[in-house]
Amino acid sequence: MTYKIVFFDIDGTITHHENGTISEPTKAAVRLLLENGTAVVAATGRPLSMCGELMEMGIETFITANGGYVKHKDEVIHKVPLDKTIVKEVAAFAEKEKHALSFYTEDFRMNGIQNASILRSLKETLSLAEYPGVFPASCLEEVFLLCLFAGESEADLYREAFPHLTFKRWHPYVLNVLDQDVSKSLAILKTLEYFGCEPADAAAFGDGDNDIDMIELAGLGIAMGNGSEGVKKAADFVTKRSGDDGVVFALKKFGII
């Protein structure tokens, strides 16, 4: 089977699952895909501003904010901005309850609440070792993803206060706050349409529960050896860990490079 387009999660998939680096064999594999005319898309929970190293590798198409914002070169393919009133109301409630929120524009900022669980979650999801800057309450930028850092009992406070919103967990301590559906798979469908491809033309690589829907959608879904049990169960194949060049191993095994 020839795959015309390959979607890669970043953290824990392209990057080493422990230290966040990208190996030279993985970089070379991505370059080879591009040289062979295969479309390469980074599909990530990261904001666009944190994709610089991927851009340097030659990738020009990015599904960011867990599917909330998609851009090819300078063209926006798809975006799902939250209603600004909702952003302000949830931010005010989180400030009162002393819970952390993160705001995804093309950049990434938070509301200034800090603790060990939040910092650990930032490292696990975005390979961040420190907190980003604070998103000002008066900011008028479009927010494409709003994330709440909370356990289940804390999250229930928000479900009760905002019954019209959806709180969708994708990490043990992080939930998407949604007023309409946002997912990597919905963004992938828009991206496939843009490139004139079908799901059967696509291979997708991921390691987390927020990758399950895209793994299931793609013609070939590959989970990393360091991935969650959920994404492994959903995949057609489980490759080696990202730190052991699992991306390269699978691309070669299925003849994609």
Side-chain angles (χ1 to χ4, degrees), residues 204-208 211-225 227-239 254:
F205 290 71
D207 75 306
D211 299 318
I212 291 174
D213 60 323
M214 79 167 182
I215 292 290
E216 292 176 334
L217 175 66
L220 175 63
I222 297 172
M224 307 308 294
S228 69
E229 289 307 309
V231 77
K232 288 178 180 178
K233 185 176 179 180
D236 299 303
F237 178 71
V238 179
T239 188
F254 289 95

Side-chain angles (χ1 to χ4, degrees), residues 26-242:
T26 297
K27 290 180 180 180
V30 169
R31 286 194 294 268
L32 186 56
L33 284 171
L34 293 167
E35 289 167 6
N36 291 342
T38 305
V40 177
V41 182
T44 178
R46 293 186 183 194
L48 191 62
S49 64
M50 290 177 57
C51 295
E53 189 173 9
L54 284 297
M55 295 176 187
E56 292 172 4
M57 291 163 55
I59 297 176
E60 297 179 318
T61 311
F62 293 87
I63 294 171
T64 64
N66 276 337
Y69 186 67
V70 186
K71 197 170 186 179
H72 173 67
K73 297 183 180 179
D74 292 326
E75 183 177 356
V76 177
I77 297 174
H78 174 65
K79 65 178 182 177
V80 189
L82 278 90
D83 183 281
K84 290 182 171 64
T85 300
I86 289 172
V87 174
K88 290 181 179 179
E89 289 176 348
V90 175
F93 190 82
E95 183 70 25
K96 179 173 70 75
E97 297 293 333
K98 304 302 179 187
H99 295 148
L101 290 176
S102 59
F103 305 82
Y104 291 69
T105 58
E106 282 200 1
D107 204 351
F108 178 72
R109 283 166 286 181
M110 295 186 70
N111 64 347
I113 305 296
Q114 302 180 2
N115 64 45
S117 296
I118 298 163
L119 192 58
R120 182 170 58 251
S121 300
L122 288 171
K123 185 176 189 305
E124 291 173 354
T125 59
L126 296 173
S127 300
L128 284 176
E130 57 186 32
Y131 297 95
V134 174
F135 187 81
S138 60
C139 185
L140 297 178
E141 285 183 76
E142 288 183 319
V143 174
F144 305 114
L145 182 64
L146 183 63
C147 286
L148 169 67
F149 291 72
E152 272 308 292
S153 60
E154 298 164 317
D156 284 343
L157 295 174
Y158 291 79
R159 294 187 177 103
E160 183 177 344
F162 302 99
H164 55 295
L165 302 180
T166 300
F167 294 83
K168 185 176 179 181
R169 186 172 296 283
W170 58 277
H171 175 273
Y173 200 66
V174 189
L175 304 94
N176 289 348
V177 181
L178 306 172
D179 62 346
Q180 54 185 306
D181 199 13
V182 172
S183 69
K184 288 187 179 182
S185 60
L186 289 173
I188 283 173
L189 287 171
K190 295 290 185 180
T191 306
L192 289 171
E193 181 182 343
Y194 179 86
F195 282 102
C197 296
E198 299 293 332
D201 299 322
F205 290 71
D207 75 306
D209 286 352
N210 61 326
D211 299 318
I212 291 174
D213 60 323
M214 79 167 182
I215 292 290
E216 292 176 334
L217 175 66
L220 175 63
I222 297 172
M224 307 308 294
N226 51 280
S228 69
E229 289 307 309
V231 77
K232 288 178 180 178
K233 185 176 179 180
D236 299 303
F237 178 71
V238 179
T239 188
K240 297 180 180 180
R241 298 180 302 175
S242 61

